[in-house]
C-alpha cells in the first residue's frame, strides 16, 4: 500500500513537470528550449514532506524527452531527428536533480530558503543548462553570449523559486499569527472563567469552615446530652472529614490562585478590545445554542485597564444571561460606556422578556434562578449575578443597579476610574 502511494506521488509530481515543460521558448539555438517546468522540482522539495526527488527527476527527464520527441516527430516526420533533438534535454533534468540532491544533503533546514540559498540554486540551474548545451553543441557552447544567457536564465528561475517560497512562508506566518491570536483570545476567556470560579471557591471556604464548626459543636452537644455513643462518634467523624476536605480544598485553591495571579500580572487591554473579544466569544456561543446575537458596543473613552479578567467575568455573565433568557432566536444587546467625573459607567441592555418586579431584589442572591431546562430538568446554579455583584462591589469597589420591564432589562455598573486603570500594589503582591 505504501509503495503504491509513493508511485502515485512520483507519477503526479512528474506529470506536472512534464506538462509545464511544454510551455517553452527557443533561445540561442534551435531546439534549445527554456521553460519554467524545472522550478517545480525545488518547489515541491521545499514545500512538501518526503518528496521523492531522484525518482521524480528521472521520470520527468524521460517523460519530457518522450513527449518532446513525439512532437518533433509530427513536425519533422522522422524518429531519428526527433530523438537527436529531444534527448539532450534529458541531460538537463538529470543533472539538475542530481545537483539539487547533492545540495540538499548540506541543508540544515529544508523548510527555509534564505538569500544565501539563492547562489547554489543559480549555480545548479546554470550547470544543468551548460550540460544540455554541451550535449547539443559540444565546445561551441562555450561562448560569452551563450554562457551569459544561461546564467541570466538561471538567475531569473531562481528568483521565481525564491519569490514563491517567500510567499508561502509569509502565508504560513500569517496563518500561524492568526492561530496564536485566536488561541490567546480563547485563553483570556478561559482565565476569566477560572477567575470567577476562584471567587466562588474563596467564598465557599467560609462555608466549609462554618460546616466544620457546626459538626464539632454537634459532637460536643451530643456528648453532653448523653446521646448514644455511635451518634457522638459519627458527629466527630463528620467534623474530621470536613476538616480534611477543607485542607485539600485550600491546597487546590492556593495552586489555582498562584497560577492565575502569575497570568494576571500580564499587561492589560483597552475596554473596546475587551468587548470585541467578548462579542466574538458570545456570538459563537449563541450560535451553538441556535440563537443569533446582535451586539452593539459604544465606548466614549479609550480606557486601558489591567482588570480585564474581572471585567470579562462580569460582562460575560450578563451577556450569557441575556442569551439564555431570550425567548426567540434573535438576541439584541446594547453596551454603552460613559464617564462622569472619576466614575466609569457601563450600561448593559437587552431586549429579552425582562425580570418580574417581585424578583428584582432577589436576582443577586446566590442560588436564585428562574432558568430551567424542561427537557433535562436541569436548573441553573444561580451564581452568575451573585458573582457579578461580588466582583463589582468587593473587587472593583463599585456598585450595580438593575431596572427591568418586559422587553428591556438594563444593568448599570459604576466603578471608580482609578480602580480600573491601576491596580493597588498590595493586590499584586
Amino acid at each position: 500500500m505504501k509503495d503504491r502511494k509513493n508511485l502515485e506521488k512520483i507519477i503526479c509530481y512528474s506529470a506536472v513537470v512534464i506538462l509545464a515543460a511544454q510551455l517553452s521558448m527557443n533561445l540561442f539555438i534551435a531546439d534549445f528550449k527554456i521553460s519554467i517546468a524545472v522550478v517545480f522540482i525545488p518547489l515541491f522539495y521545499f514545500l512538501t514532506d518526503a518528496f521523492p526527488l531522484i525518482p521524480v527527476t528521472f521520470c520527468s527527464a524521460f517523460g519530457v524527452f518522450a513527449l518532446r520527441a513525439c512532437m518533433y516527430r509530427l513536425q519533422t516526420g522522422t524518429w531519428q531527428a526527433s530523438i537527436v533533438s529531444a534527448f539532450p534535454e534529458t541531460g538537463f533534468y538529470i543533472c539538475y536533480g542530481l545537483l539539487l540532491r547533492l545540495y540538499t544533503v548540506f541543508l540544515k533546514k529544508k523548510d527555509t530558503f534564505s538569500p544565501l540559498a539563492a547562489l547554489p540554486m543559480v549555480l545548479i540551474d546554470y550547470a544543468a543548462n551548460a550540460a544540455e548545451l554541451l550535449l547539443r553543441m559540444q565546445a561551441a557552447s562555450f561562448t560569452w553570449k551563450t554562457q551569459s544567457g544561461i546564467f541570466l536564465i538561471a538567475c531569473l528561475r531562481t528568483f521565481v523559486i525564491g519569490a514563491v517560497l517567500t510567499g508561502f512562508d509569509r502565508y504560513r506566518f500569517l496563518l500561524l499569527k492568526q492561530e496564536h491570536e485566536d488561541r490567546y483570545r480563547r485563553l483570556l476567556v478561559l482565565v476569566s472563567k477560572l477567575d470567577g470560579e476562584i471567587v466562588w471557591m474563596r467564598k465557599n471556604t467560609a462555608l466549609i469552615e462554618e460546616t466544620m464548626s457546626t459538626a464539632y459543636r454537634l459532637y460536643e452537644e451530643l456528648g453532653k446530652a448523653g446521646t448514644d455513643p455511635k451518634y457522638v462518634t459519627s458527629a466527630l467523624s463528620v467534623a474530621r472529614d470536613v476538616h480534611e476536605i477543607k485542607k485539600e480544598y485550600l491546597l487546590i485553591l492556593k495552586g489555582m490562585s498562584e497560577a492565575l495571579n502569575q497570568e494576571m500580572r500580564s499587561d492589560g487591554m483597552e475596554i473596546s478590545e475587551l468587548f470585541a473579544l467578548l462579542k466574538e466569544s458570545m456570538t459563537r456561543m449563541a450560535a451553538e445554542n441556535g440563537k443569533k446575537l446582535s451586539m452593539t458596543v459604544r465606548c466614549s473613552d479609550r480606557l486601558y485597564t489591567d482588570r480585564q479578567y474581572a471585567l470579562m467575568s462580569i460582562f460575560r455573565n450578563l451577556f450569557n444571561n441575556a442569551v439564555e433568557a431570550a425567548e426567540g432566536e434573535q438576541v439584541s444587546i446594547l453596551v454603552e460606556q460613559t464617564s462622569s467625573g472619576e466614575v466609569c459607567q457601563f450600561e448593559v441592555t437587552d431586549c429579552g422578556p425582562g425580570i418580574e418586579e417581585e424578583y428584582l431584589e432577589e436576582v443577586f442572591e446566590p442560588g436564585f434562578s428562574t432558568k430551567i431546562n424542561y427537557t433535562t430538568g436541569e436548573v441553573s446554579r444561580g451564581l452568575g449575578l451573585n458573582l457579578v455583584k461580588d466582583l463589582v462591589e468587593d473587587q472593583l469597589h463599585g456598585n450595580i443597579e438593575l431596572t427591568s420591564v418586559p422587553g428591556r432589562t438594563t444593568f448599570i455598573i459604576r466603578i471608580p476610574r482609578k480602580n480600573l486603570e491601576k491596580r493597588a500594589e498590595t493586590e499584586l503582591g
Side-chain angles (χ1 to χ4, degrees):
M1 188 69 178
K2 185 177 180 181
D3 291 340
R4 181 179 176 180
K5 287 185 177 180
N6 288 336
L7 180 60
E8 289 174 351
K9 288 171 60 177
I10 293 170
I11 293 174
C12 182
Y13 290 134
S14 301
V16 173
V17 177
I18 293 167
L19 293 175
Q22 307 314 307
L23 301 174
S24 60
M25 64 179 183
N26 290 338
L27 193 65
F28 309 131
I29 63 172
D31 299 333
F32 181 68
K33 295 184 177 294
I34 300 298
S35 75
I36 63 167
V38 73
V39 305
F40 285 99
I41 295 177
L43 287 178
F44 287 148
Y45 172 79
F46 283 104
L47 296 176
T48 62
D49 295 326
F51 175 65
L53 176 57
I54 297 302
V56 169
T57 295
F58 278 86
C59 287
S60 299
F62 290 105
V64 171
F65 161 67
L67 191 54
R68 194 86 77 194
C70 290
M71 295 180 67
Y72 284 151
R73 170 67 175 76
L74 295 175
Q75 296 171 5
T76 63
T78 63
W79 278 109
Q80 183 177 359
S82 300
I83 292 173
V84 170
S85 178
F87 186 74
E89 196 164 358
T90 305
F92 167 77
Y93 283 98
I94 292 176
C95 182
Y96 191 96
L98 292 176
L99 289 175
L100 179 61
R101 180 68 186 93
L102 181 63
Y103 167 62
T104 58
V105 171
F106 299 99
L107 276 180
K108 292 183 178 179
K109 287 187 177 181
K110 170 187 170 180
D111 57 345
T112 58
F113 187 85
S114 65
L116 293 177
L119 180 58
M121 296 301 297
V122 168
L123 295 178
I124 290 171
D125 196 307
Y126 169 76
N129 269 324
E132 181 182 349
L133 283 175
L134 188 61
L135 290 173
R136 290 187 184 279
M137 303 171 59
Q138 291 76 47
S141 63
F142 294 101
T143 64
W144 169 252
K145 179 181 178 181
T146 301
Q147 297 299 314
S148 60
I150 62 175
F151 183 78
L152 177 60
I153 291 167
C155 291
L156 291 175
R157 283 197 289 222
T158 301
F159 174 79
V160 172
I161 294 169
V164 173
L165 291 176
T166 301
F168 270 93
D169 283 342
R170 179 62 178 169
Y171 179 66
R172 279 198 294 251
F173 173 78
L174 291 175
L175 288 180
L176 186 62
K177 182 180 178 183
Q178 181 66 41
E179 181 184 347
H180 285 173
E181 290 176 352
D182 291 343
R183 191 174 298 170
Y184 175 68
R185 287 194 291 267
R186 291 195 297 269
L187 178 62
L188 285 177
V189 174
L190 174 62
V191 172
S192 73
K193 291 179 181 179
L194 290 176
D195 184 44
E197 294 299 324
I198 284 180
V199 171
W200 269 108
M201 291 178 72
R202 289 198 182 104
K203 292 184 67 174
N204 285 340
T205 55
L207 178 60
I208 294 174
E209 183 73 34
E210 182 180 343
T211 302
M212 183 183 68
S213 299
T214 301
Y216 192 77
R217 285 197 302 272
L218 177 62
Y219 156 73
E220 290 181 329
E221 291 174 3
L222 290 175
K224 292 177 181 178
T227 309
D228 189 333
K230 68 178 182 180
Y231 295 118
V232 176
T233 303
S234 295
L236 180 60
S237 177
V238 170
R240 288 173 179 168
D241 290 343
V242 173
H243 179 67
E244 293 301 316
I245 292 172
K246 174 190 170 185
K247 288 196 299 182
E248 296 297 326
Y249 188 89
L250 290 177
L251 285 174
I252 295 172
L253 178 60
K254 179 181 178 182
M256 292 178 65
S257 298
E258 289 177 353
L260 280 181
N261 285 338
Q262 185 67 30
E263 170 62 28
M264 292 166 71
R265 290 172 184 264
S266 61
D267 294 335
M269 63 195 307
E270 286 193 4
I271 289 291
S272 58
E273 183 184 358
L274 182 149
F275 282 124
L277 191 155
L278 283 175
K279 180 178 180 180
E280 177 186 341
S281 173
M282 294 306 303
T283 300
R284 186 169 54 249
M285 186 275 288
E288 291 173 354
N289 289 275
K291 297 184 179 182
K292 185 177 181 181
L293 175 62
S294 173
M295 184 184 296
T296 302
V297 179
R298 299 171 185 161
C299 295
S300 64
D301 300 321
R302 292 192 61 182
L303 180 63
Y304 191 86
T305 179
D306 62 351
R307 304 309 302 267
Q308 65 267 31
Y309 296 113
L311 290 173
M312 287 177 68
S313 292
I314 291 169
F315 293 111
R316 182 174 51 78
N317 275 287
L318 295 181
F319 297 159
N320 187 62
N321 280 352
V323 172
E324 291 184 350
E327 295 176 340
E329 179 181 333
Q330 187 69 37
V331 184
S332 297
I333 299 176
L334 172 63
V335 182
E336 294 184 283
Q337 180 272 316
T338 57
S339 290
S340 176
E342 295 301 314
V343 176
C344 190
Q345 178 171 300
F346 301 90
E347 291 189 19
V348 178
T349 303
D350 69 72
C351 300
I355 302 172
E356 295 182 23
E357 185 175 356
E358 60 183 296
Y359 295 140
L360 290 179
E361 298 297 325
E362 302 179 53
V363 294
F364 293 107
E365 295 299 320
F368 176 83
S369 176
T370 59
K371 291 179 287 187
I372 302 175
N373 187 324
Y374 290 99
T375 301
T376 63
E378 181 180 356
V379 181
S380 172
R381 291 189 304 171
L383 302 180
L385 290 181
N386 184 255
L387 171 63
V388 168
K389 184 178 176 68
D390 282 352
L391 289 172
V392 171
E393 296 182 352
D394 297 342
Q395 288 200 22
L396 301 178
H397 308 294
N399 62 74
I400 182 170
E401 296 178 6
L402 167 63
T403 62
S404 184
V405 295
R408 182 182 179 87
T409 298
T410 301
F411 290 89
I412 302 173
I413 298 171
R414 299 182 184 90
I415 301 172
R417 194 180 184 93
K418 63 179 181 179
N419 294 341
L420 293 177
E421 291 182 321
K422 185 176 181 180
R423 194 183 309 186
E425 295 297 326
T426 54
E427 292 185 41
L428 288 174

